[in-house]
Amino acid sequence: MELGLKGKAVIVTGGGSNIGRGIVHGFAQEGADVVLADIDEEQAKKVAKEANALGGSTIAIKTDVTDWDSVQAMVKQTVEKFGKIDVLVNVVGWDKMQLFMETSPDFWDKVIGLNYKSDLNCFKAVLPHMIERKYGRVVSIASDAGRMGEFREAVYSGCKAGVIALSKAVAREIGRYGININVICPGVVVPESKDAISSHTLWSEDMMKIFTPEAQEKAAKAYALRRLGKASDIADAVLFLASDRAGYITGQTLSVSGGYTMM
């Protein structure tokens, strides 16, 4: 299926790690022009180099998505470089699994900043450009934790529920400008290697130690398709929703989780 993404100007936040990296690669293969917005500049430049070997044009811009000024600067650079913004993909997210009663206000602030405020900043900075051009596609990466609530992820679940509701509300408000907003909820996607993650990802060395090959095999049994996800699985869904093939789809939440949840 021809997706028509060649020459589209795309922003991918958190594009240096795991799912974000897979999404950047996917757009590059389609010939899109990509801004990889990530706080880890070294990792971002490495992934941008990988993407440029696949096609299109990818540049890395150091961005702290929790900081309004940083997001505005990144958006300005994107417009200066590519002259437009066709697609925004909000990937940045972070969590540390623990019981709610073990969490602290400082922890709440970090989780809220990275999982919810980041999307608010990017929506607010990018949407005026899309409204002016009467065209745009926004895809945010949430989690089924936000649809059902997840054990040891209470604050994260609340943030992802917020991303889902935010996306629906804004989709209702600006659909008349030809802008589609949708959400994807991945299952567990284990990084393919240490090179596929940055120092800021939730996939710390401790997490990688927990998800040993044996643990992954055991976890996969909870999935209808009997395997955990790959970054490319999520990227394929993002590419579709970012394309005009999905032009009549907006305000929707799609679980891409191998049947782990069926909502």
Side-chain angles (χ1 to χ4, degrees):
M1 179 186 291
E2 175 58 49
L3 294 176
L5 293 169
K6 185 175 182 179
K8 296 291 188 182
V10 181
I11 294 172
V12 181
T13 72
S17 289
N18 200 20
I19 291 174
R21 174 174 175 264
I23 292 169
V24 169
H25 285 182
F27 277 111
Q29 288 171 328
E30 293 291 325
D33 298 323
V34 182
V35 165
L36 195 170
D38 201 296
I39 198 168
D40 188 331
E41 189 172 22
E42 182 179 348
Q43 176 71 9
K45 287 181 176 179
K46 183 175 73 173
V47 174
K49 184 177 180 180
E50 296 169 357
N52 282 322
L54 298 173
S57 174
T58 298
I59 63 170
I61 299 178
K62 183 175 182 179
T63 310
D64 178 357
V65 290
T66 68
D67 181 82
W68 173 238
D69 291 337
S70 181
V71 172
Q72 283 187 299
M74 177 271 292
V75 169
K76 181 180 178 182
Q77 286 181 258
T78 301
V79 174
E80 289 174 350
K81 174 68 175 178
F82 296 124
K84 59 180 181 175
I85 302 171
D86 295 302
V87 179
L88 166 65
V89 186
N90 294 309
V91 183
V92 169
W94 181 87
D95 195 22
K96 182 178 180 181
M97 297 182 70
Q98 53 187 317
L99 297 172
F100 175 71
M101 296 308 295
E102 297 172 353
T103 63
S104 67
D106 286 343
F107 175 78
W108 304 343
D109 289 343
K110 182 174 182 178
V111 175
I112 293 168
L114 288 167
N115 294 287
Y116 186 66
K117 187 179 178 182
S118 60
D119 284 27
L120 288 175
N121 285 336
C122 291
F123 269 55
K124 185 68 172 178
V126 169
L127 288 177
H129 299 274
M130 293 183 173
I131 290 171
E132 183 179 359
R133 293 181 60 234
K134 292 184 170 53
Y135 178 88
R137 303 286 182 262
V138 180
V139 183
S140 294
I141 304 301
S143 168
D144 278 341
R147 304 182 79 181
M148 66 180 189
E150 186 61 86
F151 185 69
R152 300 176 73 89
E153 290 188 294
V155 183
Y156 177 82
S157 296
C159 290
K160 293 306 187 182
V163 169
I164 292 168
L166 169 70
S167 299
K168 290 181 178 181
V170 179
R172 291 182 187 277
E173 291 182 10
I174 65 173
R176 63 185 182 275
Y177 297 109
I179 300 169
N180 301 51
I181 302 178
N182 293 290
V183 177
I184 287 176
C185 295
V188 173
V189 178
V190 180
E192 61 185 49
S193 68
K194 288 185 178 180
D195 290 336
I197 57 176
S198 77
S199 58
H200 295 270
T201 179
L202 62 84
W203 285 98
S204 62
E205 287 191 15
D206 289 340
M207 281 283 284
M208 294 294 281
K209 289 176 182 177
I210 292 172
F211 277 87
T212 62
E214 294 76 18
Q216 292 181 46
E217 184 178 352
K218 182 178 180 180
K221 293 178 180 178
Y223 288 67
L225 297 182
R226 294 299 189 271
R227 70 172 178 86
L228 300 183
K230 299 179 292 185
S232 60
D233 294 322
I234 313 306
D236 287 343
V238 169
L239 294 178
F240 172 66
L241 289 175
S243 77
D244 290 342
R245 292 284 184 171
Y248 202 54
I249 301 173
T250 195
Q252 302 305 306
T253 303
L254 174 65
S255 293
V256 183
S257 58
Y260 177 68
T261 58
M262 297 187 184
M263 297 186 180

